Amino acid sequence: MRILLTNDDGIHAEGLSVLERIARQLSDDIWVIAPETDQSGLAHSLTLSNPLRLRKIDERHYAVRGTPTDCVIMGVKHLMPQAPDLIISGVNSGSNMADDVTYSGTVAGAIEGTLLGIKSIALSQEYNLDGGTRILPWEVVEERAPALLKKLLGVELAKGVLININFPSCAASEIAGTRVTAQGKLSHGLTIEERHDGRGLPYYWLRYGRGKDVPAENSDVAAIRSNHISITPLQLDLTAHEMRATLENAFA
C-alpha cells in the first residue's frame, strides 16, 4: 500500500514526524510531501499567482513552497510513480472540528485527495495551554491512530467522503473511547486587533478565541471535551438539499 503524507504545519512540524511513524505501522511505501512553511488557516487554497518551488530532501521526502492542496497535487500528479492508495494529512497541532474545518489546511489536504478519488483522512491532536505554551500529548495520537486507521482501511467510503479524526488532550490512559460524530458548531472566534508600527501607521492581526459554547451531544466538539476520539465523515457536496424545494417554490 502506497501512502502519501502531508500537513499544513510544514515539513519541519513535529506532528508530521509523528504521522510518519504512525504510517510506517501500515506500510513501508511512504511518501512525505509537505509545505516548506506553516500554512495553517489557508484552507483549500491553491497557489496560482506564483510558481511552486520544490525542494528534494531525499527520494521520498519533499518540501513544496505552497499549500497543502498544492502538495497533494504535486505528489499525485508529478512526483509519485503511481497514485497513492491512501492520503493522510496531519497530525495537526490543535483540533480541527466544528466550523474550523472550513479554515483548516489539514482537512484541505484530505479534501484534495478525495477530489482525486483517493481515500483520505485528516488527523488532529488537541492541546492544552500552560502559561501560553501549547502542551501536546503526541503519544495519544501515536498510540491510538494506527488501530483506527487499520479499521478505516476496511471501510468502503462513499464517493466524495473523507474522514476527519480528532484526538483529545489527555493522557492516553484517560481516553474514554471512540465516537462517530457530526460536525459541530462553535461561536465565531475571530476578531481584529489594531496595532501601530514605528511610524504610527496601523496594521492588524486576526485574533483567535472561543466562547463557552454548549456543544450538541453527538458533535465532534462534545466528544473531544469528554476525552473521546472523534471520527467525523465529511463530504465534498456542500449542497443544502433540504432547501432545494423551498427555493424551487420561491422561483417557480
Side-chain angles (χ1 to χ4, degrees):
M1 179 174 58
R2 179 174 288 116
I3 304 176
L4 169 59
L5 308 181
T6 193
N7 72 350
D8 72 353
D9 291 328
I11 190 68
H12 300 295
E14 185 174 358
L16 187 60
S17 298
V18 172
L19 181 61
E20 185 168 0
R21 292 196 295 270
I22 292 169
R24 291 199 179 279
Q25 297 184 51
L26 307 177
S27 173
D28 293 325
D29 193 353
I30 305 297
W31 293 69
V32 178
I33 305 169
E36 186 75 73
T37 59
D38 189 345
Q39 302 291 298
S40 297
L42 291 184
H44 193 211
S45 59
L46 294 164
T47 300
L48 299 176
S49 299
N50 295 294
L52 295 176
R53 302 291 184 182
L54 181 68
R55 179 168 65 91
K56 182 178 180 180
I57 301 168
D58 59 38
E59 289 299 323
R60 297 195 181 191
H61 291 76
Y62 295 84
V64 177
R65 191 162 290 277
T67 68
T69 301
D70 297 329
C71 292
V72 171
I73 296 171
M74 180 69 77
V76 175
K77 298 288 189 178
H78 181 69
L79 290 173
M80 302 177 75
Q82 294 177 320
D85 303 294
L86 176 67
I87 293 175
I88 312 176
S89 186
V91 176
N92 192 67
S93 173
S95 62
N96 279 303
M97 53 190 182
D99 304 301
D100 288 347
V101 301
T102 63
Y103 298 120
S104 170
T106 301
V107 174
I111 288 174
E112 188 61 31
T114 304
L115 282 170
L116 292 167
I118 301 164
K119 178 176 281 190
S120 298
I121 300 169
L123 302 181
S124 301
Q125 175 63 61
E126 181 62 297
Y127 60 82
N128 287 322
L129 290 174
D130 182 7
T133 301
R134 290 187 179 188
I135 307 299
L136 280 135
W138 292 117
E139 67 277 5
V140 173
V141 61
E142 189 163 357
E143 178 180 314
R144 297 302 183 102
L148 295 177
L149 292 172
K150 288 174 184 177
K151 283 187 177 181
L152 285 169
L153 287 173
V155 176
E156 184 175 353
L157 300 180
K159 185 177 181 180
V161 171
L162 58 138
I163 300 297
N164 184 36
I165 308 180
N166 285 277
F167 294 82
S169 181
C170 63
S173 60
E174 296 174 349
I175 296 290
T178 300
R179 289 182 181 173
V180 177
T181 59
Q183 181 185 338
K185 177 70 178 175
L186 290 170
S187 61
H188 190 272
L190 293 171
T191 58
I192 300 292
E193 179 179 299
E194 179 177 336
R195 299 184 183 182
H196 294 83
D197 64 19
R199 294 181 295 167
L201 300 174
Y203 66 96
Y204 304 90
W205 281 105
L206 280 174
R207 288 188 62 86
Y208 185 83
R210 289 295 183 196
K212 299 292 184 180
D213 303 89
V214 178
E217 185 177 352
N218 66 341
S219 68
D220 46 12
V221 179
I224 292 301
R225 289 184 182 177
S226 62
N227 285 353
H228 286 79
I229 298 168
S230 168
I231 301 177
T232 312
L234 303 176
Q235 62 185 13
L236 301 181
D237 182 5
L238 301 180
T239 306
H241 292 283
E242 66 277 6
M243 284 299 299
R244 289 181 60 199
T246 300
L247 290 174
E248 286 170 352
N249 290 335
F251 289 95

